[in-house]
Amino acid sequence: MHRQARADYVRDIARLRDIAAEAGASIASVRDDADMRSNAAIVPYTAKNGDSWIARTAAVGTQDDDANGTDAVADESTIATTCDDGRIILDNGLLRAIIAPDGTVRSLIDLDNGHELVPDGSGIGHYELLRDEPYEWDAWDIQRDAFLSAEGIDDSHVERVTETKRGGATVHVSSTTDGVSIDACITLRAKSKSLEFRTKVDWRASERFLKVDIPMAIQADRAQYECQYGMVERPIQKNTRSDEAKYESCTHRFVRVADAGYAAAVVNASTYGSDVSPIHRNTASGPVRGTMIRLSLLSSPLYPDPNTDKGVHEFAWNVVADASMPAVLDEANRLNAAVLPAMPAFDPLAQLNPVDGVMVLDWVKLADDGSGDLILRVYEAVGGEAHARLAVNAALGKATVRECSIMEDARLDAELPAAFADGDPSVARTAQGAMLSLHPFQLATLRVSCGSDGGNTDGNESGSLR
């Protein structure tokens, strides 16, 4: 089954890339004046108004940065300094990271407000191996006792420091132990408030569970985890049996911790699991308080496949400082956007102009019924009220919009709130400038219908987008 699944994934991903290339070629054929973006990404949400759903150059590995594709000027570059004691300091004017000779980040300071993100005596990027021997369901369960068996991978060192193309700097770190070889890149880009980690793991271990430590100098009682179209909260301090049972949580694209005055987050590219626990210890210089986040990277069960996951894997995660929810969603969307070899720059078919709150346009697709209508999926992302105006491409200037069900038909649940500010979801209204109003975590599906002369983008008389 594992081999069959891998073959299916390879086939499907290759086909998706072909479809994207065909779409790009179609756009280029009618927009021969459009600029071509290499290593292009289309991001559904950005904190900067107007940047969503456009093709822009993506950050790729350690070789490229600055996702809008513009070159960073010299005085905005990241400065990398190697100290006499082997420490490396990365500073871009917004963040300052101090990396020890063993490759762990011993200090990460938000320079805007002087906030230190790493608790005293801790280090971001320290890898741990836990026993992976559950009582049953070998490939699925995580035994609570495994968390008491963590052993750090201490054979770790900085190999070199390099510069990225647009003003960033990368520290290359190597860590090894029996059956595990890890090559990590820690990157601070110009003008960024995120410290990026890219890791390649050659995994040959058996009955072991790999995690990476990300301690935060934030004393919080609950952690926020993204789930699809919403968030869940889990206790950090375990006070009840129910709390204790929540020792490992599905993380989706990010986990965020916050106290009364500051927030930080760890955004990941689909690692999906983590555990969060309080840091309470006393040192000679005083008490140390904070929160330990540990991303779950790999496990190696023996049943049903004794070779499960053995081989080379790549992971990516970013530590986001001053993590407002728009900033976290921006980083999560950017990190998880598919990178295409080339795509012409184009005007998006639809965008949202925010009025207040956080509303995300997550899908833009053709209707399944072949009508040529455009289907938009929007949702409120942070648990508050959100208002935004719909903006559509000039070619859709005469299009109308109405709310439909998640299955794209006209049947709406009367008990669910309407997506339009005037409260009547059944009436079609002019799409351009339509006012949307969503309640906390509300999800809505919109159908944009093109008139006979508005929305005619390909010269046919029906005006559809087919």
Side-chain angles (χ1 to χ4, degrees), residues 35-87:
D35 294 332
M36 293 298 296
R37 299 278 190 261
S38 59
N39 294 322
I42 301 173
V43 181
Y45 174 84
T46 66
K48 184 178 179 181
N49 187 27
D51 279 357
S52 60
W53 290 102
I54 63 174
R56 55 183 187 168
T57 301
V60 180
T62 62
Q63 299 303 312
D64 214 347
D65 61 1
D66 194 16
N68 62 16
T70 61
D71 291 328
V73 297
D75 60 357
E76 293 178 331
S77 298
T78 298
I79 299 173
T81 305
T82 301
C83 303
D84 293 339
D85 58 3
R87 295 178 305 146

Side-chain angles (χ1 to χ4, degrees), residues 32 38 54 107 146 158-159 177 182 205 219 245 295 322 325 346-347 349 357 385 391 420:
D32 53 6
S38 59
I54 63 174
S107 175
V158 171
E159 290 192 326
T177 190
I182 302 172
Q219 192 171 1
L295 290 182
D322 196 13
M325 284 307 307
F346 58 87
D347 296 328
L349 291 174
E385 300 287 333
F420 294 105

Side-chain angles (χ1 to χ4, degrees), residues 324-363:
S324 66
M325 284 307 307
V328 175
L329 287 167
D330 186 312
E331 197 76 356
N333 278 272
R334 186 184 68 82
L335 186 59
N336 285 274
V339 179
L340 307 172
M343 180 66 64
F346 58 87
D347 296 328
L349 291 174
Q351 287 183 313
L352 295 178
N353 291 327
V355 176
D356 55 65
V358 180
M359 192 184 302
V360 178
L361 173 57
D362 193 53
W363 286 13

Side-chain angles (χ1 to χ4, degrees), residues 2 20-21 42 63 73 90 121 150 165 248-249 263 281 294 297 304 315 354 379 392 416 434 443 446:
H2 293 83
I42 301 173
Q63 299 303 312
V73 297
L90 305 180
K165 286 183 177 180
E248 179 83 5
S249 296
R281 65 172 181 266
R294 295 192 301 179
L297 302 183
F315 302 95
Y379 74 102
V392 296
L416 294 178
L443 171 70
L446 310 178

Side-chain angles (χ1 to χ4, degrees), residues 124-144:
I124 297 174
H126 181 236
Y127 297 90
E128 293 185 313
L129 286 174
L130 288 63
R131 288 201 306 268
D132 186 29
E133 301 170 356
Y135 299 145
E136 60 181 344
W137 307 117
D138 200 27
W140 290 271
D141 282 358
I142 300 171
Q143 203 65 38
R144 182 65 179 94

